[in-house]
Amino acid sequence: MNHSIDGDDNVGPEVGTERNRGLGEFGCSHYRRRVKLVTPCCGEIFWCRHCHNEAKHDNEKDVKLRHELDRSLVTEVVCALCSLRQPVGDHCCRCGVAFGAYACTLCPFYDDDVSKQAFHCADCGICRVGGRENFFHCDTCGSCYSTKLRGRHVCVERAMHQNCPVCFEYLFESVQPTAVLPCGHTIHSSCLKELERSDSISVCACCPICKRSLQDNSATWRYLDSIAASHPLPEEYVGWQAEIFCNDCLSTCTVQYNLVGLKCGGCGSYNTRRLALVPAVIRRSGGQNQQEDSQGSMLQSNGTETVSRSRDQAMHLEERWSSEEDRQLEAYRGSPEGSD
């Protein structure tokens, strides 16, 4: 398949013609092609942008010399068969050979492997693989997505124009498959699998950007409910409250403090962040009541004793939570149900 200068997909010449000499016989580890790129940034010649970036960025020892190729700036190519240096085109000006079974002079991009079903997306401004009919361009997210996600994904402004939150590779031009998370953020599919494996030891896997749960954790929340119900709080915690932010429903609320976890009062998720502790207020029966100040000394008050402890004190109390509960939670986290 050839791609003309105006961006239309055209069927290339039949195998055996002059234009198809050397088909699949030339190229690098990244692409089979019959042309090399003259890189304007350093004036050298490489098979493709990946070959250039590996040599001039990944393997360049001098940090000041490291750079990557902007392939849209390439204006010259070199024929792999006759070595003629010439302007970007889809075939050689001298020997007539096609530079690729698929050739896009807009990018420029060439590939003899048509099984990848490469196509040029005018909105993305680059070539994609996988077949034009299998993708649509999301204007908000700023990239091509699988048609399976049409109307079924959360749009995030320029979601693909970000680095992968795990490996930090720029996602928009990455050749690796990309996954769209329930929250709309994007990540390499392979990095997502690695993240899910590493998060199997925790209660739930979350988006590394916004911390929203990646799956339905209702079974996990029910289990934590049972743990909390079967293990009363230590006396020093009774009456404490916590202000929390829920990473799943994005709401803020005040709930009863619990060492097992802080459950959202809206959606029931335990995937929450503690914003503040609200001290317990204990009313004495008869007599004058006292209030404890920030230094721990008792202050006289008219009717209440406020048990006020610092964040460090609260963390110290949490460490005293019995090892029995820790063992139960660890056993659950390692079970098949807890890993889903």
Side-chain angles (χ1 to χ4, degrees):
M1 178 184 293
N2 278 2
H3 199 293
S4 64
I5 295 178
D6 61 6
D8 295 328
D9 293 331
N10 300 306
V11 177
E14 296 296 330
V15 176
T17 65
E18 184 68 17
R19 289 172 62 90
N20 275 278
R21 285 187 298 118
L23 177 66
E25 298 176 7
F26 299 87
C28 58
S29 60
H30 307 103
Y31 304 107
R32 296 281 87 190
R33 54 175 55 172
R34 288 159 282 173
V35 66
K36 296 181 180 181
L37 307 179
V38 179
T39 58
C41 46
C42 52
E44 298 185 33
I45 299 174
F46 294 90
W47 280 110
C48 70
R49 67 183 179 98
H50 300 296
C51 292
H52 171 277
N53 293 343
E54 288 174 359
K56 296 299 182 179
H57 185 274
D58 300 347
N59 299 324
E60 176 58 61
K61 296 181 180 180
D62 190 338
V63 177
K64 295 181 180 179
L65 296 179
R66 290 177 184 172
H67 65 280
E68 295 185 345
L69 172 65
D70 182 351
R71 61 184 174 186
S72 66
L73 301 179
V74 174
T75 59
E76 290 185 295
V77 295
V78 176
C79 176
L81 276 72
C82 71
S83 301
L84 177 66
R85 183 165 173 166
Q86 57 196 287
V88 168
D90 62 359
H91 67 280
C92 179
C93 298
R94 181 161 63 190
C95 68
V97 69
F99 290 148
Y102 173 87
C104 173
T105 55
L106 296 174
C107 285
F109 175 73
Y110 308 91
D111 199 349
D112 276 340
D113 184 1
V114 294
S115 66
K116 297 177 182 177
Q117 296 182 284
F119 66 96
H120 183 85
C121 174
D123 293 316
C124 286
I126 61 175
C127 288
R128 301 288 188 188
V129 296
R132 186 187 301 275
E133 68 280 4
N134 298 319
F135 292 86
F136 75 99
H137 184 87
C138 178
D139 293 330
T140 302
C141 298
S143 184
C144 287
Y145 282 173
S146 168
T147 52
K148 296 178 181 179
L149 293 177
R150 189 190 296 272
R152 301 179 61 185
H153 72 283
V154 176
C155 285
V156 174
E157 189 73 25
R158 294 176 63 81
M160 284 291 291
H161 294 261
Q162 310 290 336
N163 293 336
C164 173
V166 174
C167 70
F168 303 110
E169 181 185 358
Y170 188 52
L171 290 170
F172 184 70
E173 294 185 342
S174 175
V175 297
Q176 302 298 324
T178 302
V180 181
L181 303 180
C183 54
H185 292 121
T186 51
I187 184 175
H188 281 135
S189 298
S190 58
C191 291
L192 175 59
K193 292 179 180 179
E194 184 65 29
L195 181 67
E196 291 173 336
R197 283 195 294 267
S198 63
D199 277 355
S200 63
I201 60 174
S202 62
V203 173
C204 65
C206 304
C207 169
I209 298 176
C210 68
K211 304 304 180 184
R212 181 176 174 180
S213 297
L214 299 182
Q215 58 192 14
D216 179 10
N217 292 305
S218 54
T220 304
W221 307 153
R222 288 194 297 270
Y223 181 82
L224 293 179
D225 283 341
S226 66
I227 292 292
S230 60
H231 295 80
L233 284 173
E235 183 179 353
E236 58 263 42
Y237 275 109
V238 175
W240 279 50
Q241 292 183 319
E243 184 181 353
I244 64 171
F245 174 80
C246 179
N247 294 319
D248 287 340
C249 69
L250 307 182
S251 64
T252 301
C253 60
T254 301
V255 299
Q256 293 297 319
Y257 188 72
N258 197 297
L259 290 172
V260 173
L262 300 175
K263 181 178 180 179
C264 175
C267 67
S269 170
Y270 278 87
N271 180 18
T272 60
R273 298 201 306 266
R274 187 178 68 191
L275 303 178
L277 285 176
V278 182
V281 176
I282 303 175
R283 182 173 298 277
R284 294 183 182 275
S285 57
Q288 195 174 37
N289 297 303
Q290 296 176 317
Q291 182 176 0
E292 188 179 44
D293 68 8
S294 59
Q295 283 74 40
S297 59
M298 303 307 295
L299 302 178
Q300 299 298 319
S301 63
N302 293 327
T304 62
E305 176 190 2
T306 303
V307 183
S308 176
R309 296 182 175 88
S310 67
R311 182 179 298 273
D312 290 341
Q313 289 174 305
M315 292 177 64
H316 174 68
L317 287 174
E318 288 177 350
E319 292 174 357
R320 293 171 53 189
W321 186 239
S322 70
S323 59
E324 178 185 353
E325 280 70 30
D326 290 339
R327 287 195 299 271
Q328 290 189 34
L329 284 174
E330 286 301 322
Y332 172 72
R333 290 165 181 168
S335 67
E337 183 181 9
S339 300
D340 289 342

